[in-house]
Amino acid sequence: MQRIVVASKNNHKIAEFQAILSPWKLDATGLPQDVPESPENGSSFEANAIEKAVFYSSFVDGWVLADDSGLCVDALAGRPGIFSARYAGVHGDDAANRQKLLADLREVPDAARTASFACAIAVFHRGLGQGLVVRSDVLGSILTEEHGEGGFGYDPLFYHPESGKTFSELSAEQKNRLSHRAKAVERLMAQWKGEASYASLSGE
């Protein structure tokens, strides 16, 4: 089984990638705890994913997979977008981020609360000088209150019409088939044969 390092120290995210990647016979592991944090200077999900994949490839051997994911709300002109993890000011404070989102949408009617979850994934192998970036989006809407106990981040507020549930109400198996992250992995595997050109990483 081929090993791939997921460029994250978030146990929730690593577990999701482990489950999503297992059908492709990829052994996904997280970053060592002593690896420094990658800068995120990009203006798009794709640019940030590329930056992280290339940065962490200096600290680990073999293939690195980095993703940049976020929630894009139409009524907020695409916010929180690439700032989703630190929307309320502190990186990774999921509860505060959800409360800020609800406050910002307080006066927005249900019909205008459309949104999408976006996920860009970049893979890079420094030794081979090869990489690839893909993106996938899943459409939904933002509820006025939280529903469900599973998932993380904005999952309790993100209603997924195809399933009739929030991402928090889905089982782990369902989410790993339907999420933006799962769809991006499907797109990645459709294109990535281990021989992608480094030119794929030349722009945002």
Side-chain angles (χ1 to χ4, degrees), residues 42-197:
S43 59
S44 68
F45 294 111
E46 293 92 332
N48 282 332
I50 291 167
E51 186 172 29
K52 288 188 283 188
V54 173
F55 176 85
Y56 286 120
S57 70
S58 297
F59 298 93
V60 299
D61 294 327
W63 287 100
V64 176
L65 181 153
D67 87 310
D68 196 49
S69 306
L71 180 70
C72 303
V73 181
D74 295 325
L76 300 178
R79 298 191 307 274
I82 61 173
F83 303 107
S84 292
R86 53 191 183 276
Y87 191 41
V90 177
H91 192 283
D93 191 338
D94 292 347
N97 289 335
R98 292 194 297 268
Q99 289 306 307
K100 175 171 172 54
L101 179 64
L102 288 174
D104 289 348
L105 292 175
R106 186 176 292 117
E107 305 301 324
V108 178
D110 289 350
R113 298 170 74 94
T114 53
S116 62
F117 261 134
C119 178
I121 293 178
V123 292
F124 185 67
H125 191 301
R126 181 170 294 274
L128 298 176
Q130 296 174 353
L132 177 67
V133 62
V134 299
R135 173 174 167 165
S136 187
D137 299 75
V138 172
L139 302 180
S141 60
I142 305 302
L143 301 182
T144 57
E145 60 183 20
E146 297 183 15
H147 289 268
E149 301 296 328
F152 60 99
Y154 297 94
D155 287 354
L157 294 174
F158 186 79
Y159 178 76
H160 181 243
E162 183 181 338
S163 64
K165 300 179 180 180
T166 68
F167 271 4
S168 279
E169 294 174 304
L170 297 175
S171 68
E173 292 77 14
Q174 288 173 315
K175 186 183 176 187
N176 289 338
R177 292 196 310 269
L178 300 172
S179 75
H180 50 308
R181 193 164 288 121
K183 299 298 184 184
V185 167
E186 289 178 7
R187 182 164 293 178
L188 175 71
M189 292 304 169
Q191 298 183 33
W192 179 40
K193 307 301 182 183
E195 298 176 354
S197 169

